[in-house]
Amino acid sequence: MREVLHLGCAPIADIDELIEQLTGVDTAVLKLPKSTEGFTATDPERETTLVAVRASDVPERQRFSFAHELGHLLWDDGAEVHQLSGERTPGEKRCDAFARHLLAPEEGIRAWLSTEGILENRVADERTAALLSRHFRVSFFVILIQLESMSLITHEEKNRLKGPTGTQLAQRYGWGPAYQQEQESAKAVRAPRRILERAVEAYRQNYIGVRALAMLEGSNPEEVEARLREAGIVPAAPNPRRADLSRLVARGLAKDQ
């Protein structure tokens, strides 16, 4: 996939935008049950597919869920609801592996380690793994799995290192404020971009009101209206049509008769 998209081994900035550009499907962030990290659903009549992930305060999990769902799309697994549990099916494990290698490829990990002069040695300290997870924007445990598969840490070292949350690592190693901003963004509901674009145009044409647009965004109507006005987006003036009184009278008489 990285070769097809000419991505090299660098981190992927916006995995949801990549999915939209690559597959033409819509992506969204929704309020879902905590047991459900994401789903892919297709409407066969409209030939429309939606990939949605859960709004949460763990941005790395959102990115991984999007990449995981992309795996299901590429393997044409159909409509699925995907949950995190200890019982992972072979199909789920396949998509987990796809997501890991797409977001944190081994070639990219080796390239990053070589710039730090670490490649010839074993990676067995928390700071190095944390910086790697930050570089590729994946969870700490995903990086530990990749390092173990590359024989850069042992299974025992992986189990010893696992445990810290993204928040804890951010505070320990210097990206706490930035991570807080990312968490706030990850908690926000986000409608599919193309649907929101059409809704904004419908608002501009005076087909829908600001409340419908605010509901789609999950925002306050007054705030949405202010942002739109600041962007120069205001509803078109209504075009009133004169009523044909003679026709209305005739219709009323006919109804009475």
Side-chain angles (χ1 to χ4, degrees):
M1 182 57 61
R2 282 179 165 268
E3 290 177 359
V4 168
L5 298 175
H6 306 288
L7 296 176
C9 60
I12 296 174
D14 298 301
I15 183 65
D16 51 337
E17 291 186 8
L18 181 143
I19 292 174
E20 291 182 355
Q21 294 172 3
L22 173 66
T23 66
V25 307
D26 290 310
T27 64
V29 179
L30 305 176
K31 291 183 179 179
L32 300 174
K34 287 187 177 181
S35 61
T36 302
E37 292 302 322
F39 67 83
T40 298
T42 298
D43 182 343
E45 294 185 2
R46 295 179 177 84
E47 296 183 348
T48 301
T49 298
L50 173 68
V51 172
V53 302
R54 183 170 68 88
S56 72
D57 61 352
V58 187
E60 307 96 325
R61 184 179 296 165
Q62 277 189 354
R63 284 169 52 82
F64 191 87
S65 295
F66 271 128
H68 179 103
E69 297 303 323
L70 176 58
H72 284 293
L73 278 173
L74 296 177
W75 276 295
D76 195 22
D77 289 339
E80 296 281 350
V81 174
H82 305 123
Q83 300 180 340
L84 287 180
S85 67
E87 299 178 359
R88 307 289 280 170
T89 66
E92 292 293 284
K93 292 178 181 178
R94 176 178 64 178
C95 289
D96 285 346
F98 171 82
R100 284 199 311 273
H101 290 292
L102 179 65
L103 293 175
E106 292 184 2
E107 181 183 358
I109 291 174
R110 292 187 185 279
W112 187 90
L113 291 173
S114 66
T115 62
E116 301 293 319
I118 304 175
L119 189 59
E120 300 301 324
N121 302 316
R122 300 190 63 79
V123 181
D125 65 285
E126 180 184 86
R127 181 178 180 275
T128 299
L131 291 176
L132 269 171
S133 70
R134 178 62 178 171
H135 180 69
F136 289 103
R137 303 295 175 91
V138 296
S139 72
F140 187 64
F141 191 58
V142 164
I143 284 296
L144 293 181
I145 293 174
Q146 293 297 80
L147 292 175
E148 182 187 13
S149 72
M150 297 167 65
S151 299
L152 293 175
I153 62 174
T154 65
H155 183 72
E156 290 72 22
E157 288 170 333
K158 181 188 74 174
N159 289 334
R160 176 175 59 82
L161 289 169
K162 71 179 182 180
T165 66
T167 299
Q168 291 171 329
L169 294 172
Q171 294 299 326
R172 290 174 190 174
Y173 301 111
W175 58 88
Y179 191 74
Q180 287 179 344
Q181 294 178 353
E182 293 166 14
Q183 285 180 303
E184 290 301 315
S185 178
K187 288 189 290 186
V189 171
R190 180 179 61 74
R193 185 196 61 78
R194 290 182 296 187
I195 292 177
L196 190 56
E197 180 184 10
R198 292 196 292 268
V200 170
E201 182 59 26
Y203 171 78
R204 188 201 301 270
Q205 296 295 330
N206 223 343
Y207 293 139
I208 65 172
V210 69
R211 290 189 179 278
L213 193 55
M215 184 182 300
L216 191 61
E217 290 190 17
S219 302
N220 182 282
E222 289 75 18
E223 294 177 357
V224 172
E225 188 173 25
R227 289 200 305 268
L228 292 170
R229 189 183 304 112
E230 186 178 350
I233 301 172
V234 295
N239 184 22
R241 294 182 295 176
R242 293 183 180 274
D244 188 335
L245 292 181
S246 60
R247 180 176 299 178
L248 289 174
V249 172
R251 183 184 301 170
L253 291 174
K255 183 179 180 181
D256 292 340
Q257 293 175 358

